[in-house]
């Protein structure tokens, strides 16, 4: 077993609501993380290792930094303390349609977005049909129209299709399964299961208990700025449910 | 993106990381050009039309209204075209470079590329546009040479060096301004005003030799003055002001260093903000 994600004492600090303006001077010259009023730690001291092929779900109430943790693993946010080492490539299903440009046709967008994620032109050509088939007949018909004319569902389908054809061994998923119609959701499930069967590592943020227990074997329970529990997904979900009942 | 990612690397590591992703920079530049030309069929024309029209206006104002044909080197129109094409490359890189992290925030948020890529990409796109506009310059040089108004001399080899110096300076400014602009909203307006002031403090429409002694230091320490000296040297017979060039090189390197430092320091905060 090889460790593909190693997080050690990770913490990240945010500004409270309105008071976001720390002066540039302060940002430039402060040494490391200092405790200034108007800031709070989303979480601290989060430590865990993920082995290759594991399927991990992050559980917890809103605003506990689940998505933030995923972004730190994806490398699109940097922790204020501690460090994260990711030793394999990552396919982030986070801002699915972020790479698409409305002015360009869907065809151009597929090539460009896949290119941005490191796929060579020949690779994209080879997988082009697969991507389009997955995105569905509606998208296929509209391949040469500007992307901005697409419905939001079509946009997400295409985004999902492109990102999941990347060869990256680690897949990060943030709530994207909640969009799309039922047929597409089933298609997504099938694709995810196929990827897992290939031995990819999965990191999933979701509020759907069904999705979590379907895909994940291990759960991280994040609440109150701490990693409270790291164990089998069943235990994590139970612990989370018990916490909610206690508060109610 | 199969490369191993570690949270923080030194300056050399960062340069290497950007170099590693050069094919992605190319993809982004192609995308920029496509978007630009998909929207307007006049696309290419716009890049050359603006500096040419401005050249025409300054030419008219100075030679026809003020009756001064000695403001710059002769032929004055050619002098203006060199300067304004280069100036357009400068201002557009600065304004777009400053918003490079904001303009594509969705992309920045969804890909783990080294963030410097977004700045480099803007300068690269603008460089391509600048290079595309050079045939127009060549055309005017050909016309003036054919008429016997000027000669191309051996110092033309300095032209690409001038462009290289400009690239270093623009990447430096981009790295400095992009994170600051992402954090401070007013920055874009400040930059716009400063650029307009800087235009008149740069020998674009006049020759640096025309500047009174007391103000010469302002001109000489302006990094764009050195760039223009190098780019004009091969097309006109006037001597090069080496002081401007040396100061320009020094200034560009300092800006690049400062920009890199600021970029690394502010990166964290910017990623939370956009």
């Amino acid at each position: 077993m090889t460790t593909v994600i190693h997080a050690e004492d990770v913490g990240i600090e945010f500004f409270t609501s309105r008071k976001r303006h720390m002066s540039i001077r302060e940002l430039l010259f402060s040494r490391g993380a200092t405790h200034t009023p108007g800031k709070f730690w989303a979480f601290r001291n989060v430590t865990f290792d993920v082995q290759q092929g594991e399927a991990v779900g992050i559980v917890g109430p809103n605003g506990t930094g689940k998505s933030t943790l995923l972004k730190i693993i994806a490398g699109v946010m940097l922790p204020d303390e501690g460090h994260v080492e990711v030793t394999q490539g990552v396919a982030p299903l986070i801002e699915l349609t972020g790479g698409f440009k409305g002015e360009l046709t869907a065809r151009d967008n597929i090539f460009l977005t896949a290119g941005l994620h490191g796929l060579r032109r020949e690779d994209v050509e080879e997988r082009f049909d697969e991507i389009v088939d997955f995105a569905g007949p509606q998208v296929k018909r509209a391949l040469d129209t500007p992307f901005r004319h697409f419905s939001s569902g079509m946009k997400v389908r295409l985004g999902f299709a492109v990102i999941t054809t990347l060869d990256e061994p680690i897949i990060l998923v943030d709530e994207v399964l909640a969009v799309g119609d039922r047929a597409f959701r089933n298609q997504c499930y099938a694709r995810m299961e196929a990827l897992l069967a290939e031995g990819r590592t999965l990191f999933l943020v979701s509020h759907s208990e069904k999705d979590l227990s379907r895909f994940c074997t291990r759960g991280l329970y994040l609440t109150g700025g701490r990693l409270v529990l790291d164990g089998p997904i069943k235990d994590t979900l139970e612990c989370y449910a018990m916490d909610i009942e206690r508060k109610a | 993106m199969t490369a191993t990612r570690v949270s923080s690397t030194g300056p050399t590591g960062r340069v290497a990381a950007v170099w590693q992703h050069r094919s992605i920079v190319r993809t982004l530049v192609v995308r920029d050009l496509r978007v630009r030309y998909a929207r307007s069929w006049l696309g290419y024309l716009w890049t050359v039309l603006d500096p040419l029209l401005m050249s025409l206006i300054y030419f008219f104002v100075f030679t026809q209204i003020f009756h001064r044909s000695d403001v710059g080197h002769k032929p004055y129109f050619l002098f203006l075209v060199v300067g304004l094409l280069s100036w357009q490359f400068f201002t557009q890189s600065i304004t777009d470079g400053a918003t490079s992290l904001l303009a594509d925030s969705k992309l920045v948020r969804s890909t783990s590329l080294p963030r410097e890529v977004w700045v480099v990409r803007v300068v690269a796109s603008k460089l391509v546009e600048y290079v595309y506009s050079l045939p127009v310059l060549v055309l005017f040089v050909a016309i003036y040479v054919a008429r016997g108004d000027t000669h191309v001399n051996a110092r033309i080899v300095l032209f690409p060096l001038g462009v290289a110096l400009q690239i270093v300076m623009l990447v430096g400014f981009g790295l400095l301004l992009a994170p600051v602009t992402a954090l401070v909203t007013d920055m874009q307006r400040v930059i716009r005003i400063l650029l307009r002031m800087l235009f008149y403090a740069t020998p674009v429409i006049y020759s640096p030799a025309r500047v009174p002694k007391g103000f010469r230091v302002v001109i000489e320490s302006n990094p764009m003055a050195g760039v223009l000296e190098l780019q004009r040297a091969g097309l006109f017979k006037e001597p090069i002001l080496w002081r401007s060039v040396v100061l320009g090189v020094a200034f560009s390197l300092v800006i690049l260093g400062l920009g890199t430092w600021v970029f690394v320091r502010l990166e964290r905060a910017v990623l939370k903000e956009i």
Side-chain angles (χ1 to χ4, degrees), chain B residues 4-272:
Chain B
T4 311
R5 187 156 41 75
V6 188
S7 303
S8 67
T9 34
T12 46
R14 284 182 164 256
V15 173
V18 174
W19 181 245
Q20 231 176 22
H21 292 87
R22 62 192 178 282
S23 70
I24 286 176
V25 173
R26 199 173 53 222
T27 308
L28 284 166
V29 170
V30 169
R31 172 167 165 269
D32 281 350
L33 295 176
R34 281 228 183 134
V35 169
R36 207 185 150 94
Y37 298 138
R39 258 200 300 229
S40 70
W41 58 273
L42 275 176
Y44 174 68
L45 221 52
W46 287 128
T47 37
V48 288
L49 211 57
D50 187 292
L52 282 186
L53 286 177
M54 290 317 287
S55 300
L56 211 59
I57 289 168
Y58 289 116
F59 184 75
F60 178 78
V61 168
F62 285 106
T63 64
Q64 303 304 307
I65 296 183
F66 293 143
H67 294 293
R68 292 287 302 261
S69 51
D70 58 345
V71 213
H73 306 343
K74 278 181 185 168
Y76 184 51
F77 188 73
L78 184 62
F79 177 87
L80 285 173
V81 173
V82 183
L84 284 162
L85 283 177
S86 187
W87 181 258
Q88 175 169 271
F89 176 29
F90 179 80
T91 37
Q92 290 194 343
S93 298
I94 300 260
T95 34
D96 286 11
T99 52
S100 57
L101 292 171
L102 282 180
D104 264 317
S105 54
K106 271 189 176 171
L107 261 183
V108 179
R109 274 189 315 220
S110 61
T111 46
S112 64
L113 301 171
R115 255 64 63 174
E116 286 87 345
V117 161
W118 304 107
V119 173
V120 173
R121 162 268 186 122
V122 166
V123 178
S125 291
K126 298 300 165 190
L127 175 68
V128 171
E129 280 183 28
Y130 176 64
V131 172
Y132 278 4
S133 72
L134 288 181
V136 175
L137 179 61
V138 173
L139 180 74
F140 278 103
V141 171
I143 293 173
Y144 282 105
V145 169
R147 287 177 40 172
D149 290 339
T150 191
H151 300 285
V152 176
N153 63 54
R155 295 184 302 184
I156 193 79
V157 297
L158 294 176
F159 190 95
L161 289 183
V163 178
L165 178 60
Q166 195 170 0
I167 294 169
V168 171
M169 177 169 62
L170 288 172
V171 172
F173 273 123
L175 290 175
L176 177 69
L177 295 174
V180 175
T181 309
L183 295 172
V184 184
T185 335
D186 293 333
M187 205 55 201
Q188 286 181 54
R189 290 199 179 85
V190 174
I191 290 171
R192 214 160 38 225
I193 293 171
L194 283 181
L195 277 175
R196 202 163 302 163
M197 288 166 71
L198 199 62
F199 175 73
Y200 292 100
T202 307
V204 179
I205 55 171
Y206 54 83
S207 146
R210 291 270 142 230
V211 179
K213 275 232 153 56
F215 297 103
R216 196 147 306 164
V217 64
V218 180
I219 303 296
E220 279 175 343
S221 53
N222 177 345
M224 266 306 278
V227 168
L228 290 174
E229 279 301 304
L230 291 173
Q231 292 178 347
R232 280 169 176 157
L235 303 172
F236 303 92
K237 57 180 189 306
E238 278 78 0
I240 303 182
L241 304 174
W242 286 108
R243 248 176 92 86
S244 268
V245 176
V246 172
L247 283 170
V249 171
F251 188 95
S252 300
L253 291 176
V254 169
I255 279 291
L256 185 62
L258 182 71
T260 311
W261 182 72
V262 168
F263 196 90
V264 172
R265 295 292 300 187
L266 296 184
E267 191 178 21
R268 238 166 262 272
V270 168
L271 290 176
K272 288 179 201 165

Side-chain angles (χ1 to χ4, degrees), chain A residues 12-15 20-21 24 26-32 39 71-90 92 94-101 103-104 108-109 111-113 115-118 121 148 168-169, chain B residues 1-8 14 21 23-28 30-32 34-36 38-39 103-113 115 118 121 179-185 261-274:
Chain A
I12 190 162
E13 223 180 358
F14 283 100
F15 294 99
R20 74 169 188 109
H21 266 296
I24 298 282
E26 260 177 277
L27 283 169
L28 280 177
F29 296 103
S30 67
R31 291 250 154 255
K39 287 168 89 179
K71 283 179 183 161
I72 290 177
I73 295 167
V76 299
M77 261 200 204
L78 301 169
D80 289 307
E81 57 176 27
H83 70 275
V84 177
E85 269 172 63
V86 182
T87 51
Q88 290 179 336
V90 168
I94 296 179
E95 295 240 5
L96 273 184
T97 54
F100 295 125
K101 272 274 172 194
E103 292 90 343
L104 299 179
D108 284 345
N109 269 314
F111 277 99
L112 291 172
T113 307
L116 275 185
H117 286 281
R121 200 174 171 87
R148 74 184 122 91
E168 307 295 6
Chain B
M1 268 190 305
T2 35
T4 311
R5 187 156 41 75
V6 188
S7 303
S8 67
R14 284 182 164 256
H21 292 87
S23 70
I24 286 176
V25 173
R26 199 173 53 222
T27 308
L28 284 166
V30 169
R31 172 167 165 269
D32 281 350
R34 281 228 183 134
V35 169
R36 207 185 150 94
R39 258 200 300 229
D104 264 317
S105 54
K106 271 189 176 171
L107 261 183
V108 179
R109 274 189 315 220
S110 61
T111 46
S112 64
L113 301 171
R115 255 64 63 174
W118 304 107
R121 162 268 186 122
V180 175
T181 309
L183 295 172
V184 184
T185 335
W261 182 72
V262 168
F263 196 90
V264 172
R265 295 292 300 187
L266 296 184
E267 191 178 21
R268 238 166 262 272
V270 168
L271 290 176
K272 288 179 201 165
E273 208 56 54
I274 58 172

